[in-house]
Amino acid sequence: QKEVEQDPGPLSVPEGAIVSLNCTYSNSAFQYFMWYRQYSRKGPELLMYTYSSGNKEDGRFTAQVDKSSKYISLFIRDSQPSDSATYLCAMIKAAGNKLTFGGGTRVLVKP
Amino acid sequence: DADVTQTPRNRITKTGKRIMLECSQTKGHDRMYWYRQDPGLGLRLIYYSFDVKDINKGEISDGYSVSRQAQAKFSLSLESAIPNQTALYFCATSVSSGRVDEQFFGPGTRLTVL
């Protein structure tokens, strides 16, 4: 079993819809949780990161962490075609340690 | 100009050949990483280096080696390429801090081993 599970999609939504992405993980030692966005033929880029449980909002993006359920989510409001990309969750057990990635979810926002 | 560059961007090689992928960065970061990405498996860490004299194995280092020639350069070698090393390879950099490092990724090298 992988340490971090993520539905590969693709997830297709109409423009303006809310995109809901999630990851589950098995190791309760993870403390820092990140979301990366990867456009086709590009490297991943960090969108957001959160520490421990709770919510964090940045513009149209909201990240949620529920450590009791070992479940993290990313919501994209008012989705745009430019949000079409693969979204990867990643997590770390402690600052300075290595990232563990989920497999990524491909998102397609249709105009 | 890109902060993290990788060469070549695409490479096709044959089984048994030795090849090198190169990574350079102008961000002044001390930490560098090599990952491979396969469909559905996300990114998996091959090797990482926290400074010029520091080299560490990641989760899938077998069949690979690295060299940190300078703070700005980190190369990945496949000693004898095999078809299941066909993948997308990414170099990343970060700077050590008291918080979580943000890793900055290069554009990737698509490697095909026939």
Side-chain angles (χ1 to χ4, degrees), chain A residues 23-103:
Chain A
C23 290
T24 58
Y25 62 96
S26 57
N27 193 330
S28 58
F30 287 124
Q31 296 187 58
Y32 297 88
F33 305 91
M34 296 155 185
W35 286 96
Y36 279 80
R37 178 175 62 195
Q38 184 178 17
Y39 289 116
S40 181
R41 303 184 189 283
K42 302 281 188 182
E45 55 180 344
L46 181 66
L47 269 179
M48 302 177 66
Y49 85 87
T50 54
Y51 172 67
S52 197
S53 287
N55 293 2
K56 184 174 183 179
E57 190 172 316
D58 183 0
R60 295 185 296 113
F61 298 88
T62 300
Q64 289 184 351
V65 174
D66 181 349
K67 290 192 74 179
S68 63
S69 302
K70 298 190 182 67
Y71 188 89
I72 69 171
S73 301
L74 178 71
F75 300 96
I76 308 174
R77 290 184 300 281
D78 188 26
S79 58
Q80 305 295 311
S82 59
D83 294 324
S84 297
T86 296
Y87 291 81
L88 300 115
C89 63
M91 39 200 84
I92 298 181
K93 294 170 188 171
N97 277 16
K98 302 176 293 295
L99 284 170
T100 300
F101 282 88

Side-chain angles (χ1 to χ4, degrees), chain B residues 43-81:
Chain B
L43 284 92
R44 292 181 291 164
L45 185 62
I46 305 172
Y47 272 96
Y48 62 102
S49 168
F50 282 0
D51 65 43
V52 174
K53 296 180 182 178
D54 176 72
I55 300 289
N56 303 282
K57 292 183 177 181
E59 60 180 298
I60 53 163
S61 58
D62 287 349
Y64 302 95
S65 62
V66 291
S67 173
R68 184 83 183 265
Q69 300 95 324
Q71 188 196 35
K73 295 185 182 297
F74 192 36
S75 59
L76 175 72
S77 294
L78 285 67
E79 301 302 325
S80 179

Side-chain angles (χ1 to χ4, degrees), chain B residues 1-13:
Chain B
D1 286 346
D3 295 319
V4 184
T5 57
Q6 293 183 233
T7 56
R9 293 294 312 278
N10 290 282
R11 178 76 183 266
I12 299 174
T13 192

